[in-house]
Amino acid sequence: MRDTTHNNLTEKQHPYNHGHHHIQEHNDHEHNHEHGCCEHEQEHEHGCCEHEHEHEHGCCGHEHEHGHEHEHGCCGHEHGHGHDCCSHEHHHEHKIPEQRQCPDAFEAEGVKFTCLVENLGCANCAAKMESRINELPQVNAATLTFTTKQLRVSVTPEAAQKEAELIAKFQEICSSIESGVTVTKQQNSRKGKKSLQSQEHMEKKRRLSEQQIDLICIIIGASLFAVGEILEQAVLGNPQIPSVLFIIAYIILGGQIVLTALKNLTKGQVFDENFLMSLATLGAFAIGDFAEAVGVMLFYRIGEYFEEVAVSRSRSQIMDAVDLRPEVVNLVTENSTKAIPAEEAQINDVLLVRPGDRIPLDGIILEGESRLDTSPITGEPVPVKAAVGDAVTSGCINTSGQLKIRVEKTLENSMVTRILDSVENAAASKPKIDRFITRFSRVYTPFVVVVALATAILPSLFTGDWNHWIYTALTFLVISCPCALVLSVPLAFFSGIGAGSRKGILFKGGVSIEALKNVSAVVMDKTGTITKGNFAVQQILPVGKYSQDELLAFCASCEQQSTHPIAVSIATAAREQNLTLETPTKLEEIAGHGVQAELSMGTVLVGNRKLMDKYKVVLPKNIQISYGTEVLAAINGNFAGCLLISDTLKPESKNAIASLKRLHIKTAMLTGDSTESAQAIAKEAGIDEVFARLLPEEKLARLQEIRSRNGSVMFVGDGINDAPVLAGADVGAAMGSGADAAIEAADVVFMTSNMQAVPQSISIAKSTTKIAWQNVVFALAVKALVMALGLTGHASMWMAVFADSGVAMLCVLNSVRALYKK
């Protein structure tokens, strides 16, 4: 027993300071407790850790509902924050189960690196390159992503020592499939845009000049074709003039295509798009249909031109949406500020952020106050107030005041780079539909070519009308290229990944999106997922002459210097109501009971029932609480009332659960918290099923039970404590503002702890997969229709070109819808 004022109480001495910092820091996933006999890596000084324990804390007996009750050395709170005492470490090596793994270059064994494949213009060619590179004996796995132009490879250690030779081999393979392609090792992609985009700028200028040349060729060819058509229809002058104009127009429009086809033939590329188009149009020349040959080549070039522009813009739109890395930052020096490349900024540098600028790097505000638009990172539209001492995340927009921030993370480790990494990695993770289409395309083209040959020969043998059937066969050749299929599916998923990142949802790839669309039940952890993970005063129940404000004020006066979450919640509630607090003249802590303080009104007791019993305070028999922690108060030996403290439901949780129900998805909650607390939260949120007082291994068993009843299950947790359940679910999703451990653990990461991200992610997954299948069905249906019309003599090569280039362009435009779909 000791007397002391609040001012003399050190942090270590204070009765509430018994290590429950994890209640306040739950959203940051910093669990720093140390149990005496449990295997958590935590810094709690618990005497022991059983699965049903009673906390005996040093001074106050607030009864929190923990799911288990620890015997602490100082205070008897029973906490209701649902942290599980279990026999596993909090730092897990999370492994995705077999059914959710996909063969990716960065999952394979070996030395891994990434190359950039520039001038890549054909999605089908990219699939061929990936296949050929995977056949190399030195390569364990390779993934070439057309949308990001990245070649990710895993090679043997021996091959890694001869990296330059290996990249030269990649170059040889890629050039043999598509001329003009260059393969270079990707340098530090974590550099700022300015340093990385110089090469991209040169590439863009080259591409623009090529597109300009293409456009000029198309205009000249179209003009000659139009003049030739007019002269041919008018039958004026020399009838040879239209033919000459058609030949010149064909050379301008198709000369390069024919030369490329011949070059590729020498490399064994028989079913090359250039060869098939050359064969079809030259075949039209052979049967005397000059105008048709030129017209088809013109239409093909126009379709290719618009397809290339559409793909290029789609890539740019998606990458611009997710690549928020700064080019330069404004470094504050002693006398002024100077702009330096973002990658040169170091930890502890001070940066100036003007109104309208993005926060360039993760840091802490040293000077200034503003409101931040966090929507580029979190998708949250409401600006957030930020002041001195607040942590700020790169990518957010400073909307008002000027700020000075201290750099906490370099560009390589800042949020903007982690988001870009996640999107690039996700793009390389190919869904089943993408892999199916790639395999299908290898069979599709040879099949159509065989059908074309059969169409040219067999009917002609019986009818003798070789021109008609050869023309029909040529239309088949035009539509035999599978580019529309191979291009549109990955672009749809890439758009979906981009759409998610704009809302603060990071998908770990197309596989995750595919799995999400099939989810029929969402299972959630309670603390930090459905609830905020912090304590707040829920009810104030005064007795006798005291008002609610008076009861809260004198309780807060006793608790105002404490750092314990329960005490903090009481003091916070009083300050929010602008109540005047009094500093106690004397404060005494009573181990396992609470506190006794001297205020102007007399002796005040604040604590648990043990404290009231100790001082013979008579309690009314009708005190009942629904769930949470009761804090009892007495003045001069007379009971004055009690406060109810509990974890608070996130404001968006009800709407999020309602949105899931509108999607016909069952909801369940698994928690280590007490049954009363769990049921109260579930009832308030509208959750269908509740399972409380569970250990992690019991959570996994319950999840399997839910899966057996409902089908595919998504589990939403913090990505650290719930690793066994995250691994056992069909889709594991982590809450927690992009914490490193959560990003590593889950298939989907919600950058904020906003529950609305759960139904949003499922909606994006359903929409993305729907768009991908729309593209597949549309492309195949149009091609099949043109083939059927060709067999009945109603299709022309013009229609066939539309079935190839036109359909590809429409599929690209349809794919990008996923990026903007609300």
Side-chain angles (χ1 to χ4, degrees):
M1 231 29 113
R2 58 188 171 82
D3 291 349
T4 180
T5 65
H6 268 287
N7 295 333
N8 292 332
L9 279 175
T10 66
E11 205 174 281
K12 220 169 190 177
Q13 291 168 326
H14 199 279
Y16 289 105
N17 189 25
H18 41 70
H20 279 270
H21 302 296
H22 68 295
I23 305 175
Q24 288 176 303
E25 298 174 359
H26 180 77
N27 285 341
D28 296 326
H29 306 287
E30 294 178 11
H31 303 265
N32 295 328
H33 340 29
E34 197 163 77
H35 294 257
C37 66
C38 207
E39 289 180 20
H40 295 302
E41 292 183 2
Q42 308 167 329
E43 269 180 304
H44 243 332
E45 295 180 11
H46 294 223
C48 88
C49 180
E50 309 255 346
H51 292 312
E52 260 184 58
H53 2 316
E54 285 176 10
H55 298 254
E56 287 292 333
H57 297 260
C59 78
C60 90
H62 306 321
E63 293 179 4
H64 313 275
E65 294 177 2
H66 213 334
H68 358 293
E69 297 152 302
H70 300 250
E71 291 242 336
H72 292 245
C74 76
C75 168
H77 303 295
E78 269 182 43
H79 302 275
H81 40 78
H83 285 280
D84 305 317
C85 185
C86 62
S87 57
H88 71 280
E89 293 190 0
H90 274 218
H91 301 287
H92 308 278
E93 190 80 31
H94 176 81
K95 296 195 186 308
I96 298 173
E98 283 295 323
Q99 70 267 29
R100 290 195 275 121
Q101 288 181 348
C102 69
D104 185 283
F106 281 5
E107 290 182 9
E109 295 296 326
V111 180
K112 303 170 182 67
F113 61 90
T114 302
C115 294
L116 283 178
V117 184
E118 299 289 357
N119 308 335
L120 185 62
C122 171
N124 191 38
C125 296
K128 293 177 184 176
M129 292 171 192
E130 181 185 288
S131 179
R132 288 273 298 278
I133 291 171
N134 270 305
E135 291 171 3
L136 294 175
Q138 309 98 309
V139 175
N140 296 328
T143 306
L144 177 54
T145 310
F146 178 74
T147 44
T148 60
K149 299 184 287 187
Q150 288 180 323
L151 171 64
R152 297 164 178 265
V153 291
S154 172
V155 300
T156 61
E158 297 77 19
Q161 295 174 3
K162 301 177 181 178
E163 188 180 272
E165 293 179 20
L166 194 59
I167 292 174
K169 187 68 176 173
F170 297 161
Q171 175 69 64
E172 182 185 334
I173 290 171
C174 294
S175 297
S176 70
I177 295 172
E178 186 177 358
S179 60
V181 169
T182 60
V183 182
T184 55
K185 184 176 180 182
Q186 180 172 287
Q187 300 305 313
N188 184 6
S189 64
R190 303 313 112 211
K191 292 184 177 181
K193 283 185 180 179
K194 195 168 187 177
S195 55
L196 278 180
Q197 286 181 342
S198 56
Q199 185 178 351
E200 291 178 16
H201 181 66
M202 295 298 293
E203 162 66 13
K204 189 174 182 180
K205 283 182 68 177
R206 183 200 62 75
R207 192 166 59 245
L208 282 173
S209 65
E210 282 187 0
Q211 286 180 357
Q212 288 169 353
I213 293 169
D214 287 345
L215 188 58
I216 291 168
C217 289
I218 288 169
I219 292 170
I220 295 172
S223 301
L224 292 171
F225 172 70
V227 173
E229 275 283 286
I230 292 168
L231 292 176
E232 189 175 59
Q233 297 298 324
V235 197
L236 298 173
N238 189 341
Q240 300 300 318
I241 292 176
S243 299
V244 173
L245 291 175
F246 287 142
I247 291 171
I248 295 171
Y250 185 84
I251 292 171
I252 292 171
L253 292 167
Q256 187 60 45
I257 290 172
V258 174
L259 288 174
T260 303
L262 292 172
K263 192 188 299 181
N264 289 347
L265 267 179
T266 62
K267 299 172 183 176
Q269 299 294 326
V270 180
F271 297 126
D272 175 70
E273 185 179 28
N274 295 294
F275 173 71
L276 294 169
M277 184 54 64
S278 300
L279 185 61
T281 51
L282 289 173
F285 267 111
I287 61 177
D289 208 337
F290 286 25
E292 185 84 0
V294 176
V296 167
M297 185 59 78
L298 172 63
F299 195 16
Y300 171 74
R301 286 293 300 274
I302 291 171
E304 289 291 293
Y305 175 80
F306 283 113
E307 182 186 333
E308 184 180 347
V309 171
V311 170
S312 177
R313 288 190 178 177
S314 300
R315 268 191 186 134
S316 298
Q317 285 173 339
I318 296 167
M319 291 311 295
D320 287 347
V322 297
D323 190 357
L324 304 176
R325 294 170 302 161
E327 296 179 4
V328 295
V329 296
N330 296 313
L331 179 67
V332 178
T333 60
E334 289 183 5
N335 302 317
S336 62
T337 61
K338 64 175 183 177
I340 62 170
E343 64 270 19
E344 292 181 11
Q346 301 298 316
I347 293 173
N348 292 327
D349 280 351
V350 177
L351 306 180
L352 180 68
V353 185
R354 299 183 179 92
D357 289 350
R358 286 191 190 277
I359 303 296
L361 304 172
D362 295 1
I364 301 288
I365 297 177
L366 296 180
E367 186 180 311
E369 186 174 308
S370 182
R371 298 191 79 83
L372 301 182
D373 176 7
T374 63
S375 60
I377 300 297
T378 66
E380 175 57 53
V382 180
V384 176
K385 186 177 179 181
V388 174
D390 290 342
V392 290
T393 302
S394 53
C396 299
I397 300 171
N398 179 22
T399 62
S400 50
Q402 184 167 281
L403 301 174
K404 286 183 181 178
I405 66 168
R406 183 181 70 242
V407 176
E408 294 290 302
K409 292 181 181 178
T410 59
L411 180 66
E412 184 176 355
N413 298 311
S414 281
M415 182 65 72
V416 285
T417 299
R418 284 159 53 198
I419 291 174
L420 180 63
D421 282 346
S422 179
V423 171
E424 288 178 344
N425 292 340
S429 174
K430 299 183 179 181
K432 291 177 184 177
I433 182 177
D434 194 357
R435 296 180 183 277
F436 163 73
I437 290 299
T438 303
R439 291 194 300 270
F440 175 77
S441 65
R442 293 174 192 158
V443 178
Y444 167 79
T445 301
F447 171 77
V448 177
V449 171
V450 169
V451 171
L453 284 172
T455 303
I457 297 169
L458 296 178
S460 301
L461 291 174
F462 294 100
T463 65
D465 191 357
W466 288 88
N467 276 12
H468 170 73
W469 292 109
I470 287 174
Y471 181 85
T472 302
L474 294 176
T475 64
F476 286 6
L477 289 178
V478 172
I479 63 174
S480 63
C481 180
C483 261
L485 291 169
V486 178
L487 170 65
S488 60
V489 171
L491 195 58
F493 277 90
F494 192 38
S495 295
I497 291 165
S501 70
R502 295 176 77 173
K503 295 181 181 294
I505 301 167
L506 297 185
F507 296 106
K508 288 293 185 72
V511 175
S512 301
I513 291 178
E514 268 189 333
L516 258 176
K517 80 170 175 64
N518 296 320
V519 163
S520 54
V522 172
V523 181
M524 295 156 279
D525 184 30
K526 181 178 80 71
T527 309
T529 301
I530 302 167
T531 64
K532 291 180 179 180
N534 59 3
F535 286 102
V537 175
Q538 302 291 350
Q539 284 183 281
I540 304 172
L541 304 172
V543 172
K545 64 180 181 179
Y546 301 104
S547 67
Q548 289 187 346
D549 284 354
E550 287 173 327
L551 176 62
L552 179 59
F554 66 71
C555 286
S557 296
C558 298
E559 308 282 24
Q560 60 185 314
Q561 297 299 322
S562 173
T563 59
H564 186 277
I566 297 294
V568 168
S569 69
I570 295 171
T572 300
R575 292 189 184 102
E576 285 176 351
Q577 296 185 33
N578 297 317
L579 301 180
T580 302
L581 304 186
E582 181 182 345
T583 300
T585 56
K586 186 180 290 187
L587 186 141
E588 179 182 347
E589 54 187 86
I590 299 135
H593 295 73
V595 294
Q596 181 183 34
E598 293 294 335
L599 298 176
S600 59
M601 64 185 66
T603 302
V604 179
L605 300 172
V606 178
N608 60 11
R609 290 176 183 254
K610 292 180 183 178
L611 182 67
M612 300 296 118
D613 292 341
K614 179 179 177 70
Y615 286 91
K616 305 291 190 291
V617 176
V618 179
L619 299 179
K621 294 182 180 180
N622 60 350
I623 294 182
Q624 291 184 345
I625 60 171
S626 54
Y627 73 97
T629 300
E630 60 177 7
V631 179
L632 307 177
I635 298 176
N636 298 323
N638 297 314
F639 182 68
C642 75
L643 307 179
L644 176 63
I645 317 291
S646 68
D647 195 0
T648 53
L649 188 73
K650 289 180 183 176
E652 76 279 0
S653 289
K654 286 183 183 178
N655 289 336
I657 300 299
S659 297
L660 288 172
K661 289 184 176 181
R662 283 194 293 272
L663 292 169
H664 307 291
I665 291 173
K666 295 286 185 182
T667 55
M669 184 170 74
L670 306 182
T671 180
D673 207 346
S674 67
T675 303
E676 296 80 7
S677 177
Q679 287 179 341
I681 288 290
K683 183 179 180 181
E684 189 178 354
I687 294 170
D688 298 324
E689 289 185 279
V690 186
F691 301 94
R693 289 192 174 274
L694 300 177
L695 300 175
E697 55 269 27
E698 293 172 332
K699 286 185 179 183
L700 185 56
R702 291 293 189 183
L703 183 126
Q704 302 290 7
E705 179 187 318
I706 294 167
R707 178 194 279 130
S708 66
R709 292 199 310 269
N710 299 291
S712 183
V713 172
M714 175 186 190
F715 180 78
V716 186
D718 62 14
I720 302 172
N721 289 340
D722 299 303
V725 207
L726 280 167
D730 297 281
V731 180
M735 289 278 188
S737 301
D740 290 336
I743 286 177
E744 289 300 319
D747 303 309
V748 185
V749 177
F750 303 132
M751 301 300 289
T752 66
S753 295
N754 195 310
M755 272 290 292
Q756 284 289 3
V758 179
Q760 282 176 349
S761 65
I762 296 172
S763 295
I764 290 172
K766 287 180 180 292
S767 174
T768 299
T769 312
K770 184 179 178 181
I771 287 172
W773 276 110
Q774 283 174 353
N775 288 342
V776 171
V777 172
F778 176 65
L780 288 176
V782 172
K783 288 175 183 285
L785 179 62
V786 172
M787 288 179 72
L789 290 173
L791 288 171
T792 59
H794 294 91
S796 65
M797 271 197 282
W798 294 73
M799 294 175 67
V801 171
F802 172 76
D804 177 35
S805 298
V807 166
M809 185 177 67
L810 291 175
C811 286
V812 169
L813 296 175
N814 189 44
S815 296
V816 180
R817 281 197 308 120
L819 187 63
Y820 300 103
K821 195 172 180 68
K822 292 185 179 180

